[in-house]
Amino acid sequence: QGERKGTNKYYPPDFDPAKHGSLNKYHHSHPLRERARKLSQGILVIRFEMPFNIWCDGCQNHIGMGVRYNAEKKKVGNYYTTPVYRFRMKCHLCVNYIELQTDPGNCDYVIVSGARRKEERWDPGDSAQVLPTTPEQRERLALDPMFRLEHGVTDRGVLERAAPTLTRLQEAQDAWKDDFGLNSRLRRRFREEKKTLREEEEEAAALRARAGLSIPLLREEEEDRRLAALLTLRAPD
């Protein structure tokens, strides 16, 4: 489609480059076509992808991350020198409109209206993960040399405490690197188990044939042997 628009352009006989400048000006149209129908209001229609899982307030349905909408994009402010954009889109399951807004300070999106976020976030400290630095900490790291020095000492201490665990994880990972050897041992064990099962099935079939039984026989367990040995100690009655 892009190649077609770029190479196959029809220039009418009355088209004058000096007068019209471009085909868009000649046809009194915008290069973005329908996407720019509200450009006079500062709104551009874009293809927006849902950044996280949400619940629609209109129909109470779940909308998954990655669902795409034709959204109206509009600049609503600035975070220092970074523009803050708002996206307005209609739910594909009802008539409710959803509005999201960028949050440059936290590198995230926030819901303005029409939906609520499905909470799937957790505290990394609860699972012993490395905690990322907050914006306030990053600012202090850039401006405060003493805080940067203390932060480095703390990080080195965390690394020293985590080193034994990391070493054990690395050793466990190295033990699984020989894929061919692991596959060979696994296949050998499966062959042995398959042979044992086949012998047990043949023995059970022979026993059914001798006893004239038509019911399947279960595998003999140690508890069965113990109960069979105790039957000889029961009274004749």
Side-chain angles (χ1 to χ4, degrees):
Q1 186 177 1
E3 182 181 359
R4 173 183 62 79
K5 289 182 178 180
T7 58
N8 299 330
K9 291 184 177 181
Y10 171 72
Y11 291 87
D14 58 342
F15 174 76
D16 184 3
K19 177 182 177 181
H20 301 101
S22 66
L23 285 176
N24 292 315
K25 291 183 179 179
Y26 174 82
H27 292 294
H28 303 287
S29 63
H30 195 277
L32 297 177
R33 302 296 190 273
E34 287 298 317
R35 292 176 54 194
R37 62 181 181 270
K38 296 184 178 180
L39 203 59
S40 60
Q41 307 173 27
I43 297 174
L44 177 65
V45 178
I46 66 166
R47 195 66 172 164
F48 182 79
E49 185 172 306
M50 193 63 65
F52 40 67
N53 295 312
I54 66 171
W55 298 99
C56 177
D57 286 345
C59 57
Q60 305 301 323
N61 282 314
H62 173 262
I63 300 177
M65 180 176 62
V67 177
R68 296 182 179 181
Y69 294 93
N70 292 329
E72 297 179 354
K73 175 184 176 182
K74 183 178 182 181
K75 181 180 177 181
V76 294
N78 287 290
Y79 175 78
Y80 295 100
T81 58
T82 303
V84 177
Y85 294 103
R86 183 171 295 179
F87 305 91
R88 185 173 186 265
M89 66 212 79
K90 179 179 174 297
C91 176
H92 67 287
L93 300 172
C94 66
V95 297
N96 180 53
Y97 279 87
I98 303 171
E99 291 189 4
L100 281 80
Q101 183 172 304
T102 58
D103 184 11
N106 297 315
C107 299
D108 199 0
Y109 289 84
V110 294
I111 298 176
V112 179
S113 63
R116 65 186 187 277
R117 184 167 182 169
K118 182 180 179 183
E119 287 298 335
E120 297 177 326
R121 294 170 290 184
W122 64 90
D123 186 4
D126 296 340
S127 55
Q129 297 184 17
V130 177
L131 299 178
T133 55
T134 62
E136 293 78 9
Q137 287 180 329
R138 287 197 294 268
E139 184 176 358
R140 289 192 63 186
L141 285 172
L143 301 177
D144 191 344
M146 292 302 298
F147 179 77
R148 184 164 59 247
L149 178 62
E150 295 174 357
H151 196 276
V153 173
T154 304
D155 289 345
R156 283 193 294 271
V158 173
L159 178 61
E160 292 175 358
R161 290 192 298 271
T165 303
L166 296 175
T167 302
R168 289 195 301 270
L169 292 175
Q170 185 65 38
E171 292 175 352
Q173 186 177 13
D174 293 340
W176 290 88
K177 280 187 176 181
D178 187 8
D179 298 336
F180 178 78
L182 291 173
N183 188 36
S184 299
R185 289 195 294 270
L186 187 62
R187 290 171 62 87
R188 187 183 309 113
R189 190 181 69 180
F190 284 164
R191 285 195 297 268
E192 294 174 354
E193 293 179 354
K194 187 176 180 181
K195 180 180 179 181
T196 303
L197 290 175
R198 186 169 58 251
E199 292 176 352
E200 291 179 355
E201 290 177 357
E202 294 175 354
E203 183 179 353
L207 180 59
R208 287 199 302 269
R210 290 196 304 269
L213 299 176
S214 59
I215 59 175
L217 300 179
L218 299 178
R219 177 180 294 183
E220 185 180 2
E221 302 292 344
E222 183 62 31
E223 183 67 16
D224 299 333
R225 299 190 186 95
R226 190 180 67 84
L227 290 177
L230 291 175
L231 288 177
T232 59
L233 301 178
R234 293 180 58 184
D237 55 354

